[in-house]
Amino acid sequence: MTTSFETVTSADGTPIAFDRTGDGIPVILVGGAFNDRTTVAGLAATLSPDFTAIAYDRRGRGDSGPGAVYSVEREVEDLAALIDHVGGSAAVFGHSSGAVLALEAAARGVAMTSLAVYEPPYVVDDSRPKPAADIFDRVRALIADGNRDDAAELFLVEAAATPAEVVKGMRDDPFWAWFTGLAHTLPYDLALCGPGSVLPAGRLAKITAPTLVLDGGESDAWMRAGARAVAETVPGARYVTVEGQDHGVLHQPDVLRGLLTEFLR
């Protein structure tokens, strides 16, 4: 299956880069924190026999421009521009904070034939502490000081609830350079999730697109609770647990093929 590289211009003039793979109903794949279009490429290949899979770089990542000033509205406009470019409506799949972006876009009326989200990271119970109210400012300050290592660690520990000792080990791994390379975009993910990563029930209740909410049977309790809460809030949403999987499901995209192929088309 051939893949073509393209760009589309968002409403504020920012170029948004994407890879197009396959032929069929378009499905836009939205990655989360520390993700660019390469991290959803495996899922794009998995879906390409049945869909035109669009794997894109969210603004500030990969080959997409950063834009002059970040806001959630600009990211929603980016997704809307992609959907308009591929025909005016599309199915959408979002992972983690990319799921939050997809939900926000659907709540704002961006045209979607269907929507699937995997573990949007809302904190809805006391199974973990809520991110501190000032984490956005602290991460942004570290980035401004050029301290990408500590910015990535702060995000992982306080926003993603990764155990501190695990992150300390990650910093010694050569792959840590991937995390620091995308650390400048972490304020975008924090802005999407909002202070405290609170579920925006009023907005999500406005979603009219058919919605599938997924979580992993091996995922942390707080992520699963957040997914269930989204499914209970979005009108008519379907909730499914992918057994044997955790938040890293994009590393095994084949496990999603049956569910997504059936639902998104």
Side-chain angles (χ1 to χ4, degrees):
M1 189 71 66
T2 59
T3 297
S4 62
F5 172 78
E6 302 176 38
T7 61
V8 64
T9 302
S10 193
D12 70 342
T14 300
I16 302 299
F18 66 95
D19 290 328
R20 183 197 298 255
T21 308
D23 184 26
I25 299 169
V27 56
I28 313 292
L29 307 179
V30 191
F34 300 114
N35 280 219
D36 63 10
R37 73 182 191 273
T38 67
T39 54
V40 293
L43 183 58
T46 295
L47 296 177
S48 62
D50 301 288
F51 298 92
T52 298
I54 305 296
Y56 80 102
D57 287 325
R58 287 172 49 195
R59 63 173 50 211
R61 308 168 195 227
D63 292 304
S64 290
V69 178
Y70 180 83
S71 72
V72 173
E73 289 74 18
R74 299 293 82 75
E75 281 232 70
V76 169
E77 289 172 354
D78 299 344
L79 182 52
L82 279 164
I83 291 174
D84 185 63
H85 183 75
V86 299
S89 66
V92 175
F93 170 82
H95 177 266
S96 195
S97 61
V100 175
L101 173 55
L103 289 163
E104 290 288 346
R108 288 163 167 77
V110 174
M112 301 180 189
T113 54
S114 53
L115 168 64
V117 294
Y118 191 96
E119 296 186 351
Y122 299 117
V123 181
V124 300
D125 62 16
D126 60 0
S127 60
R128 58 151 290 181
K130 289 186 180 296
D134 65 348
I135 187 174
F136 175 88
D137 292 330
R138 286 187 289 144
V139 169
R140 187 167 60 175
L142 288 167
I143 295 298
D145 289 342
N147 191 346
R148 288 172 171 258
D149 292 283
D150 285 353
E153 179 173 348
L154 174 58
F155 180 92
L156 286 165
V157 172
E158 295 194 22
T162 308
E165 61 273 16
V166 172
V167 179
K168 293 295 185 185
M170 292 169 63
R171 290 184 65 150
D172 295 329
D173 192 295
F175 192 71
W176 182 250
W178 174 267
F179 291 87
T180 57
L182 287 166
H184 64 285
T185 63
L186 296 176
Y188 305 173
D189 299 288
L190 292 167
L192 271 169
C193 295
S197 297
V198 175
L199 180 82
R203 291 199 298 277
L204 300 191
K206 298 176 182 179
I207 293 174
T208 59
T211 301
L212 172 66
V213 184
L214 302 167
D215 65 12
E218 302 300 317
S219 292
D220 292 344
W222 73 270
M223 288 188 173
R224 301 198 64 198
R228 287 193 298 271
V230 171
E232 292 166 359
T233 303
V234 176
R238 178 184 170 195
Y239 169 65
V240 175
T241 294
V242 186
E243 296 298 344
Q245 297 301 311
D246 58 17
H247 200 60
V249 71
L250 291 179
H251 296 296
Q252 299 185 63
D254 286 348
V255 303
L256 295 174
R257 180 178 180 181
L259 279 168
L260 294 182
T261 300
E262 174 190 0
F263 182 80
L264 293 177
R265 69 180 181 187

